[in-house]
Amino acid sequence: LTLNLNSYTISAPTSASTALIRVNANGYLTIEGNGTINSASNANDYSIAVWASNGGQVAINGGTFTNVGAKDFEDNGTTPNNNELIYVSGSGSLITINNATIIGNSENETWGTRYTLNKADRCNSDIVVNGGTFVNYDPSMSKSENPIANFVAEGHLVYQVGNNYTVAPVSELVNIIKNNKGANIMLPIAYVVDTELTIDLNDCTISLPTDTDGSGVFKVVEGGNLTINGNGSINGVGKNDYNMAI
């Protein structure tokens, strides 16, 4: 099934206690176009926009997904609801996010049970993020039941401008710096320079995760010539003996 949102808003009833859209075994759903899926409800359980389970497959190619405004706590007033926005469970399920705006309830620091993206405990399903913008949420530093730290696809980075975290291919680094003044850019691994490359930092900060291998933020190899201009920061601090920027 292909669902073109066509500028519509699809909402959950206030009493809903499960997913607004659920894709089960043998199901393959593609979501595209402009529009909104709003799964916020006042139920006592979840406010899931999209749930893939037991082999269900989902490709998200457009739209806005939100559950902001969902009921925060169960009726006892002390136990927080999960409010997971995008969820996979069971065996062989996959949700691929290629382009979307994702606005989830902020995660609950105390209980750790409110997830924007969530992968169920002990399942071999996955969420893979190739693109999209996440509000107040970094998909490379995720909380999840499983747990999993990084839903971002290999070869992709996350850059932050204000409260927005956007996923893009590493190959777009120069354009991202040029077009997003002051952005915080997290590379997945060292950026290898093997040709002529000039970067104007444009007040951006470029860094690596803390568990990299010490190759530096930029690694210039044979044939590479790197020129760095402008104001900005290259942060090489990591969990290694080198902490190299270049």
Side-chain angles (χ1 to χ4, degrees):
L1 175 68
T2 296
L3 173 63
N4 189 320
L5 293 175
N6 198 26
S7 300
Y8 283 92
T9 295
I10 303 173
S11 301
T14 57
S15 60
S17 60
T18 184
L20 196 157
I21 295 174
R22 184 168 180 178
V23 181
N24 291 321
N26 302 316
Y28 193 108
L29 173 66
T30 299
I31 301 173
E32 60 186 32
N34 295 319
T36 300
I37 295 179
N38 182 357
S39 59
S41 79
N42 290 316
N44 289 333
D45 205 339
Y46 310 103
S47 292
I48 303 171
V50 179
W51 181 359
S53 61
N54 301 316
Q57 310 283 303
V58 180
I60 296 176
N61 298 330
T64 297
F65 299 76
T66 183
N67 61 1
V68 172
K71 188 174 182 179
D72 287 335
F73 291 89
E74 294 182 6
D75 287 340
N76 60 22
T78 61
T79 303
N81 287 336
N82 283 12
N83 289 172
E84 45 215 330
L85 183 59
I86 308 290
Y87 184 50
V88 291
S89 65
S91 177
S93 305
L94 176 65
I95 296 177
T96 304
I97 302 173
N98 299 310
N99 182 32
T101 300
I102 308 292
I103 313 170
N105 274 334
S106 58
E107 295 186 0
N108 188 298
E109 296 294 335
T110 301
W111 292 79
T113 56
R114 191 177 300 162
Y115 310 108
T116 297
L117 306 180
N118 191 22
K119 177 178 174 179
D121 283 331
R122 297 175 297 280
C123 80
N124 65 350
S125 298
D126 207 355
I127 299 171
V128 177
V129 181
N130 294 308
T133 296
F134 297 75
V135 179
N136 290 317
Y137 178 80
D138 182 352
S140 71
M141 302 289 289
S142 301
K143 295 179 181 178
S144 178
E145 289 179 57
N146 198 258
I148 186 170
N150 188 357
F151 287 117
V152 176
E154 184 176 348
H156 290 67
L157 57 77
V158 177
Y159 65 92
Q160 178 190 2
V161 179
N163 293 327
N164 293 337
Y165 295 80
T166 300
V167 177
V170 171
S171 60
E172 293 295 316
L173 176 63
V174 174
N175 287 331
I176 290 168
I177 295 170
K178 179 180 178 180
N179 296 324
N180 295 276
K181 184 179 179 67
N184 293 316
I185 302 168
M186 179 70 76
L187 293 168
I189 58 175
Y191 189 92
V192 176
V193 180
D194 56 7
T195 60
E196 190 88 19
L197 179 63
T198 298
I199 292 176
D200 186 321
L201 289 174
N202 198 22
D203 293 329
C204 293
T205 297
I206 307 171
S207 56
L208 289 170
T210 56
D211 58 353
T212 50
D213 63 3
S215 297
V217 178
F218 290 94
K219 185 176 182 179
V220 184
V221 299
E222 183 178 359
N225 190 339
L226 174 64
T227 301
I228 298 175
N229 298 322
N231 295 320
S233 176
I234 299 174
N235 183 356
V237 174
K239 291 180 180 176
N240 52 70
D241 295 330
Y242 304 103
N243 298 320
M244 293 186 294
I246 299 174

